[in-house]
Structure formats: C-alpha cells, structure tokens
Amino acid sequence: MEENKKTQAQELSEKLLMDKAKPSREAALRDAPKAMDFAEGYKDFITAAKTEREAVDWTVTAAKAAGFVEFDPLKKYSAGEKVYYNNRGRAMCLAVIGKNGAKDGVRIAAAHIDSPRVDLKPIPLYESGELALLKTHYYGGIKKYQWTAIPLSIHGKIVKKDGSEVILNVGENPGDPQFCITDILPHLGKDQAVKKLGEAFTGEDLNVLIGSLPLDKEGEQLYKLNVMKILNEQYGIIESDLISAELEFVPAFPATDIGFDRSMVGAYGHDDRVCAYPALQALFASEAPEKTCIVCLADKEEIGSVGNTGLCSEYLNYFVCDLSRAEGLEPQHVWSKSSCLSADVTAAFDPTYASAFEPGNSTYVNRGVGIAKYTGSRGKGGSNDASAEFLGWVRRVLDNAGVLWQIGELGKVDQGGGGTVALDIARLNADVIDIGVPVLSMHAPFEVISKVDLYAAYQAFKAYFEAE
C-alpha cells in the first residue's frame, strides 16, 4: 500500500512539480561537446575586444565576412539582405531583412559592449615621489580594491590638435610594457585594514604607475617629461593631446579556461560581451527569417545608457524607423508589434556568498541561459517587468527548440539590484524581457561563465530569430 502511494506521489510530482537540477545536468552533459567548441571562438573575441570601440571594430569585420553591407537609410531592402549601421565607432545595429519585412514587427536582441574599467582624467599625467603616474576616473560599478596590484593594459584613441588620430593598444602583446595601480603593503596597512571595505580605497587612489626614470640629472618634472618624450617619439603626441583622448585601462590578461574540466571561461568583460557574441553569431546564422531580425550593440549601459551611443539616445529607434518607412510603414505601428530580448548577464548563484541569494529564485552555472522577468531594486524600481504573455511565448520558443534555460532574480529582495537596457526599448512600446548568461564575480576584473550557458544563449537567440 505504501509502495502504491509513493508511486502515485512520484507520478504527480513528475507531472506537477519542477525538477530544475536533474534535467539541467542531463542537458548540460548533452550539450557540453558543442559548447566547448563554441567557446573557442568566444575566447578569441573576448580577448580581442576589451573596449566598446574594439568590439565594434571586431563586429564590422565579422559582419562583412558574413555578407553584411553598410546600411543606406534611403534604400529599400529585400528579404535575406544583411545590413549594419555603425554609430560613431562605439555602438552598432545589424539586421537581416525578413521575408515579411517589418510589417509584423521586428525581433531585436540588444546587448551592451561596454564594461567597468578605469578611464583617464582629462589632464592625467603627473609625477610624485620620483614616479610618473596617471590620474584616473573609474567607469561603472567596480570594487576599487580589485583593480590594484594586477597587470593593466591601455586601450583607446587620441585625437590630436590637428585632427589626426592615434590608436593605442599597449600591454596585450608579447614584449609590450604593462601598467598597474599599486597597493599598500600589509606591514604598513594598519590604517587601511580598519576601514570598511568600500572606504579603504577612494577614486583618487586609483593612480596608474607608468614610469620611474628621470629624463636627466637636473631639471623640473623629469619623470613626467621622460614619459612624455617616449610618447612623443612613438606616437607624435604632446601632453595637451591627452585632453581629447579616450583612453581606458583594462586587465591585461587573456581569456582562459577555468577548472580541470575546462568547463568555464575566465576573462575580463563577460558583462556584457558574453551576450553580444552569441547574439551576433545567431544573427550571422539567420538566412531567411520570417520577421526582420536585429542585433543592437549598445555603449554606456554601465553608467546609465547615456550619451548618443547609449540606448537613451534614439539610434536604435531611428534604425527601425528607417527600415519601416522604406517599406511604407509607420514606425510606431512596427514598434508596437515588435519584441526584444534584452541580452544582459545575470548573477550566478555562488555558494561562497550564499547569504546574498535566494536559492529557489537564483540562476546557476550550467543550467542554461538565464531569464529575468524583472530586474531593478527596492520593489522592482527601475525594472521593465515583462508581461506574462510575452514570457509565456518565450518559454514556448525555447522549449520547442530544446534550449536549456532557467529563470531567477538578481539576489535577495532588498539585497541590492541592477538594471539593463530593457527600459529604454520598452518605452518604444515593444515587448521586452531580460535574458542572458549567469556570471560569477560580476564586475570584477576577472569574471567567470559556463561554456554550456554561453552555448545555450546562442541557441536561445537563434531560436528567437527563427520562431514563427
């Protein structure tokens, strides 16, 4: 009798309840070989594209190789044609024109390609204590202590007074010098040790060490002058040219496999280029979708999506408007029928810091791409909060395609929170939901993701673009 009751309970459990762990393990093992292969291309990308400008350059090259051409807003495109729009070298829109064009709406995957980092101040170069250093202003939400005592490289562009440009990428190649932000030794760190973690380092402490030799035996500012002499000889710049420069310090190490089983990737900038890459690959693989499919790569998300390359501007809207009007359609009618996957990462459950998470509503490594119905903080403030109807449709699309996926929140209620570009697209009256790869050590100089989850993201974006 007990045995029958137990069997009945098992049957009902399988029919009515969710078992998230076991099916995920089976799917992860099934997809692991393909995920390992897919991650090799991603590691090359995330190592090469450490800034938003480099991500755009990489994407333009890859898009051209995949048959994309530069977008002409005055032209009407036919089904299957592939176009891209480069917004100031820091953001992009790419589209594959669908069989039905935009009349039934467009499908968008929107990721951001900026990451937390350390930028130079407008007048950065100085010397102190017989050392040459650069003053910085950090970009995005960082834990400042994580950026000390690690090797850094410098990337970016200098626009000289005469309008000519200099591209810098120093610290990545063999033989390059590298740079660092120093920290106090523990023997003298008593005062620092008693401070709260968030107060032990200030923004003004993040000074980058760039030289220690004087130009000569006598004179003024000899350490600063020696560095400036090297920069002038190598790049033809003078100190005032640094005023019109965008120079960023990022970790100098390349992407690498993590774990004896090589199941994970450690790198700088997973947030959010780990979503940009699979979205792009899914679009490149789309030959003849029913609806026009778009990948939007955005800048400035880490500081509020501001500026003319962030999604608070209208460049994505203008792109959709141009596509719509070329087909004789009113853009607002296209937007109201459109949908978007806000392709941004989520926090992976970390057992070392389990107290920050609610285990039943967290996303886990190797359980697939993570869906977040809402983000925000303090009662969903600043979130999009997708509709049940759209979430239900997304579930069906992913399940029908056999995509490994999960759903969760960004930690415990009132623990903190965060936002994405979802709000900026939802305001145009499209259906939007957040979906992306779970990340360990998010916003650190070295983040970790699962190869299985990365591959699941690719499968999810591909299924979304191809769904009827």
Side-chain angles (χ1 to χ4, degrees):
M1 192 71 176
E2 283 297 321
E3 211 172 294
N4 291 337
K5 287 184 178 178
K6 185 177 179 182
T7 301
Q8 183 183 27
Q10 286 177 329
E11 290 177 354
L12 285 173
S13 177
E14 291 174 5
K15 181 180 179 180
L16 301 178
L17 301 182
M18 294 174 60
D19 180 2
K20 296 186 290 184
K22 184 181 178 183
S24 296
R25 285 194 292 268
E26 292 172 350
L29 292 171
R30 177 199 69 203
D31 293 341
K34 291 181 179 179
M36 295 287 186
D37 291 339
F38 187 78
E40 292 305 305
Y42 172 67
K43 287 192 295 183
D44 291 340
F45 164 74
I46 198 69
T47 296
K50 290 189 174 182
T51 70
E52 64 285 351
R53 287 187 182 274
E54 291 169 351
V56 166
D57 290 344
W58 185 96
T59 301
V60 169
T61 300
K64 288 179 177 179
F68 285 71
V69 298
E70 195 163 359
F71 178 62
D72 181 354
L74 300 179
K75 180 180 175 181
K76 180 180 179 180
Y77 291 93
S78 302
E81 290 194 85
K82 303 174 180 182
V83 297
Y84 72 88
Y85 164 61
N86 183 343
N87 183 14
R88 297 172 169 84
R90 302 177 62 139
M92 282 191 74
C93 294
L94 306 93
V96 176
I97 307 303
K99 295 175 184 176
N100 294 325
K103 69 177 184 178
D104 298 318
V106 296
R107 288 198 177 136
I108 303 167
H112 67 89
I113 49 175
D114 61 318
S115 296
R117 59 178 189 256
V118 178
D119 291 346
L120 289 193
K121 286 190 175 185
I123 302 176
L125 183 57
Y126 76 105
E127 67 174 60
S128 181
E130 301 186 353
L131 297 172
L133 303 108
L134 291 171
K135 278 285 180 186
T136 70
H137 194 135
Y138 63 93
Y139 173 98
I142 68 170
K143 291 181 177 179
K144 301 179 189 71
Y145 71 87
Q146 293 180 329
W147 288 77
T148 65
I150 63 171
L152 301 174
S153 56
I154 186 169
H155 299 236
K157 175 184 285 191
I158 302 169
V159 180
K160 299 198 287 187
K161 189 175 182 179
D162 63 5
S164 60
E165 298 179 352
V166 176
I167 304 299
L168 246 63
N169 184 326
V170 182
E172 300 289 349
N173 300 311
D176 279 1
Q178 295 180 337
F179 314 93
C180 69
I181 298 168
T182 59
D183 191 6
I184 188 72
L185 63 162
H187 309 74
L188 301 177
K190 184 181 72 168
D191 292 343
Q192 182 193 68
V194 298
K195 294 179 180 179
K196 292 181 179 179
L197 187 61
E199 300 170 357
F201 295 85
T202 70
E204 295 296 344
D205 292 332
L206 301 181
N207 305 310
V208 181
L209 182 62
I210 59 167
S212 68
L213 287 176
L215 180 66
D216 207 339
K217 292 182 290 186
E218 296 182 4
E220 299 292 327
Q221 302 191 88
L222 295 174
Y223 300 88
K224 172 181 174 179
L225 189 57
N226 190 49
V227 168
M228 205 61 247
K229 177 176 178 289
I230 294 169
L231 293 175
N232 180 258
E233 291 172 349
Q234 293 186 0
Y235 305 106
I237 65 171
I238 60 177
E239 184 181 9
S240 64
D241 289 330
L242 297 176
I243 293 172
S244 50
E246 290 179 359
L247 295 174
E248 307 167 9
F249 280 99
V250 299
F253 30 77
T256 187
D257 288 341
I258 296 293
F260 286 116
D261 57 5
R262 297 182 177 271
S263 62
M264 297 166 284
V265 177
Y268 163 71
H270 286 318
D271 180 10
D272 182 38
R273 292 188 279 274
V274 75
C275 294
Y277 180 82
L280 285 169
Q281 295 303 318
L283 189 70
F284 293 164
S286 298
E287 294 298 332
E290 293 295 320
K291 295 184 177 183
T292 293
C293 294
I294 297 172
V295 167
C296 175
L297 303 180
D299 184 24
K300 297 292 203 309
E301 191 275 346
E302 296 294 357
I303 58 171
S305 296
V306 296
N308 55 12
T309 54
L311 272 180
C312 282
S313 80
E314 297 289 327
Y315 73 91
L316 172 60
N317 184 22
Y318 293 160
F319 185 66
V320 173
C321 287
D322 287 336
L323 290 173
S324 303
R325 288 178 177 138
E327 298 178 25
L329 304 169
E330 288 296 323
Q332 70 271 23
H333 299 154
V334 171
W335 272 115
S336 66
K337 299 175 185 176
S338 296
S339 63
C340 174
L341 300 185
S342 172
D344 208 341
V345 298
T346 187
F349 180 84
D350 190 333
T352 303
Y353 305 100
S355 62
F357 297 86
E358 195 266 280
N361 283 284
S362 295
T363 54
Y364 291 75
V365 165
N366 283 338
R367 288 191 185 177
V369 68
I371 297 174
K373 185 178 185 296
Y374 46 82
T375 55
S377 59
R378 298 177 300 280
K380 301 185 182 180
S383 74
N384 165 58
D385 205 353
S387 70
E389 293 89 347
F390 186 49
L391 176 53
W393 181 82
V394 170
R395 284 179 58 198
R396 289 192 295 276
V397 168
L398 300 186
D399 285 342
N400 290 342
V403 177
L404 181 60
W405 65 273
Q406 56 186 316
I407 191 165
E409 294 185 320
L410 188 66
K412 284 183 176 179
V413 177
D414 292 336
Q415 182 69 28
T420 67
V421 300
L423 281 175
D424 303 304
I425 298 172
R427 69 178 178 81
L428 296 165
N429 199 28
D431 285 313
V432 187
I433 197 166
D434 288 292
I435 182 170
V437 177
V439 176
L440 293 166
S441 301
M442 191 191 298
H443 280 213
F446 191 76
E447 302 169 314
V448 177
I449 60 98
S450 153
K451 294 179 181 180
V452 166
D453 298 338
L454 169 68
Y455 184 63
Y458 164 72
Q459 292 178 302
F461 297 130
K462 191 169 185 292
Y464 168 67
F465 288 146
E466 293 175 353
E468 294 183 0

